[in-house]
Amino acid sequence: ILTNATRGLDPAVARQLLRDVDDAISLGHQVDVQALIDTRMASADAEVEGKLNERVLQERDDIVGLRQAGQLDTVALEGKLADSAIAIQEHRFLQADALLDGIEHDIHATREMLRSAAAEVLGEARGVVARGKADGIAVDAALRMLHDAETSYSEARYGDTIYAGK
């Protein structure tokens, strides 16, 4: 996502600026090179800032989704998200990008952990229902709950799967 604009002037932009300066000088105009550079850099920074802010909003939505899926401990993720938002405001774009990458990784790992826990609970529930059925116990209500858990799992609603499976 980050361009050379966050680390310095992009070589392509620099070449274009040089052409603009040469054109202006050849026409006898005065040129404020620093103003041209500042304008280009501000434009590039605004673009990067916008993209990073979009990622912050997406990660916020993903964290809310984790909470809704049963992952109640999202304080660390929320703290990192706040740190990345502050870094963006302070134009520390590389740091914000790195923080957001870390958050994305942590969200993915947490989702996988929830999926794994849901699969485990679902497997245990299937075993309990099968044993009850084999022992001649009425399992109609348990079968409905098992079906609900399987449906939740197929829809990636792992918190609901864990709840129904237990």
Side-chain angles (χ1 to χ4, degrees):
I1 184 172
L2 295 180
T3 66
N4 287 334
T6 59
R7 294 182 290 276
L9 192 57
D10 186 309
V13 172
R15 284 190 293 276
Q16 181 59 45
L17 283 171
L18 286 174
R19 281 191 292 272
D20 293 347
V21 169
D22 284 342
D23 291 346
I25 290 173
S26 69
L27 296 172
H29 297 133
Q30 287 187 335
V31 178
D32 184 350
V33 175
Q34 188 59 49
L36 285 173
I37 291 171
D38 290 346
T39 301
R40 296 287 175 112
M41 293 297 287
S43 173
D45 282 352
E47 183 180 328
V48 170
E49 185 175 356
K51 289 179 181 179
L52 289 170
N53 281 325
E54 287 175 21
R55 288 178 65 195
V56 166
L57 293 175
Q58 178 60 50
E59 300 312 323
R60 183 201 62 195
D61 292 346
D62 290 346
I63 291 169
V64 169
L66 285 175
R67 230 181 290 124
Q68 291 171 341
Q71 180 63 36
L72 301 178
D73 185 14
T74 59
V75 174
L77 288 172
E78 292 165 2
K80 285 182 184 180
L81 192 62
D83 289 345
S84 67
I86 291 167
I88 293 168
Q89 286 178 338
E90 295 175 353
H91 290 258
R92 292 180 284 121
F93 298 136
L94 289 175
Q95 182 182 12
D97 187 51
L99 284 166
L100 289 168
D101 285 347
I103 293 167
E104 288 169 1
H105 175 269
D106 292 349
I107 287 172
H108 177 72
T110 303
R111 279 188 186 135
E112 279 302 303
M113 182 183 68
L114 279 169
R115 186 198 59 73
S116 178
E120 186 175 328
V121 166
L122 190 55
E124 291 172 6
R126 286 177 179 142
V128 168
V129 168
R131 279 191 302 277
K133 197 173 188 179
D135 291 343
I137 299 171
V139 292
D140 292 340
L143 280 171
R144 281 192 299 280
M145 291 296 288
L146 179 59
H147 177 72
D148 289 345
E150 290 170 337
T151 300
S152 296
Y153 187 81
S154 71
E155 295 172 354
R157 293 184 292 121
Y158 302 125
D160 293 344
T161 302
I162 293 168
Y163 177 78
K166 286 185 176 187

